[in-house]
Amino acid sequence: MVGGLKLNYRFTIILMFSFYLKKYSMYVFIAAESVALSLCKRHGVMFNRFRKFFVIRIVRSVGARVNLTGTIDADTDILIVNHQSMFDIFSLEEAVGLDTRFIGRTGIMDKWPVSRIVDRVGHITVDQKDRRAIIQLLKDVKICKGKKVVIFPEGTRSQSGKIEPFEAGAKLLVEKLKLKAQPVVIKNILDIYNESDKTATSGTIEIEALPAITITDDWYEHTHQKMNKTFSQ
């Protein structure tokens, strides 16, 4: 009995050590990317090479690989994606490519070293305390024409095992700007890397692109249902 407890304790210590080693390796690569991008001409050859290199290194640093099933259409304007972790961003960049622009809240995307990457790449931040934020968001998304804008419609990270109800922002953007929208479901990222539970195991993050959305009166609710069904499969 005592021997079993000691083995369990040692095993727990090893798992914790492995998690923190992967976590800090990831943040070292994030910090290194922020410095590297600061030294290059924005969206020049070296800038894009550094982005691609560091995105792969960040994902691999926690023992992860990414598998995308389905097709993201070349003319898709905005990707509607479920949100579970900051790691979603780097996984999607590897899967979708460097033409992605993420929408995120201040307080999350304005802390160094992530903030420097956000600024240099041109990701979009939203200050929810500002009543004019939606007007600025519409302008920022319009500027990103030709890129794949990524929005997390839940508005926060969900670790409940399901996709939480959508906030109104994504619906407004799609309808106001007449954007071609496509849902994308990140399925098992918390099984691979979970900062809340302090677990990190090697594996493949499964990401599935669903068909582009046809805009009808109930398209937003239908999209939520379809994404939840795909997520739970």
Side-chain angles (χ1 to χ4, degrees):
M1 181 69 175
V2 174
L5 288 172
K6 285 183 177 179
L7 283 174
N8 285 338
Y9 177 74
R10 288 173 183 170
F11 185 64
T12 301
I13 292 297
I14 290 170
L15 288 178
M16 290 290 286
F17 177 78
S18 175
F19 166 76
Y20 281 109
L21 181 63
K22 290 179 177 180
K23 176 182 176 179
Y24 290 117
S25 295
M26 178 183 71
Y27 278 101
V28 165
F29 280 118
I30 293 172
E33 181 181 4
S34 73
V35 173
L37 297 187
S38 297
L39 300 175
C40 300
K41 179 183 177 183
R42 290 182 70 198
H43 305 296
V45 174
M46 287 305 300
F47 186 93
N48 291 330
R49 283 180 182 172
F50 275 134
R51 277 191 72 197
K52 186 173 182 179
F53 171 79
F54 281 111
V55 162
I56 292 171
R57 292 318 313 154
I58 289 165
V59 173
R60 300 294 181 275
S61 69
V62 301
R65 293 187 178 274
V66 178
N67 180 52
L68 174 66
T69 57
T71 302
I72 295 175
D73 298 342
D75 60 343
T76 290
D77 299 305
I78 189 166
L79 301 175
I80 297 175
V81 188
N82 61 307
H83 193 26
Q84 301 166 80
S85 162
M86 183 185 75
F87 201 59
D88 294 340
I89 292 171
F90 303 107
S91 303
L92 283 166
E93 277 192 310
E94 181 176 353
V96 179
L98 300 184
D99 274 343
T100 50
R101 297 294 183 270
F102 292 89
I103 299 173
R105 294 178 174 179
T106 54
I108 298 173
M109 294 179 74
D110 58 355
K111 293 181 179 177
W112 192 89
V114 173
S115 61
R116 190 59 181 157
I117 298 173
V118 168
D119 178 62
R120 296 294 292 165
V121 173
H123 297 309
I124 301 167
T125 56
V126 179
D127 183 357
Q128 290 193 312
K129 295 177 183 177
D130 186 349
R131 282 187 242 173
R132 298 166 298 175
I134 189 63
I135 297 171
Q136 185 60 49
L137 178 59
L138 287 164
K139 291 178 181 177
D140 290 341
V141 172
K142 208 169 184 179
I143 291 169
C144 289
K145 188 171 179 59
K147 309 295 181 185
K148 297 284 187 287
V149 175
V150 178
I151 189 166
F152 301 113
E154 296 159 281
T156 187
R157 300 173 191 174
S158 172
Q159 299 188 344
S160 64
K162 63 180 181 179
I163 298 176
E164 299 296 338
F166 289 171
E167 295 183 351
K171 185 175 188 290
L172 180 66
L173 285 175
V174 170
E175 293 179 354
K176 282 280 187 184
L177 299 178
K178 295 180 170 53
L179 304 176
K180 178 176 177 178
Q182 196 167 350
V184 174
V185 179
I186 304 174
K187 294 184 175 180
N188 62 330
I189 199 164
L190 296 181
D191 295 334
I192 309 299
Y193 180 77
N194 190 325
E195 284 203 14
S196 296
D197 291 347
K198 295 181 173 56
T199 58
T201 59
S202 297
T204 300
I205 298 166
E206 298 293 342
I207 301 176
E208 184 170 348
L210 305 181
I213 294 164
T214 300
I215 304 301
T216 59
D217 289 342
D218 61 348
W219 74 267
Y220 204 44
E221 294 78 9
H222 180 69
T223 298
H224 181 267
Q225 292 167 8
K226 196 168 184 180
M227 290 176 67
N228 238 328
K229 184 178 179 181
T230 302
F231 181 72
S232 61
Q233 287 174 346

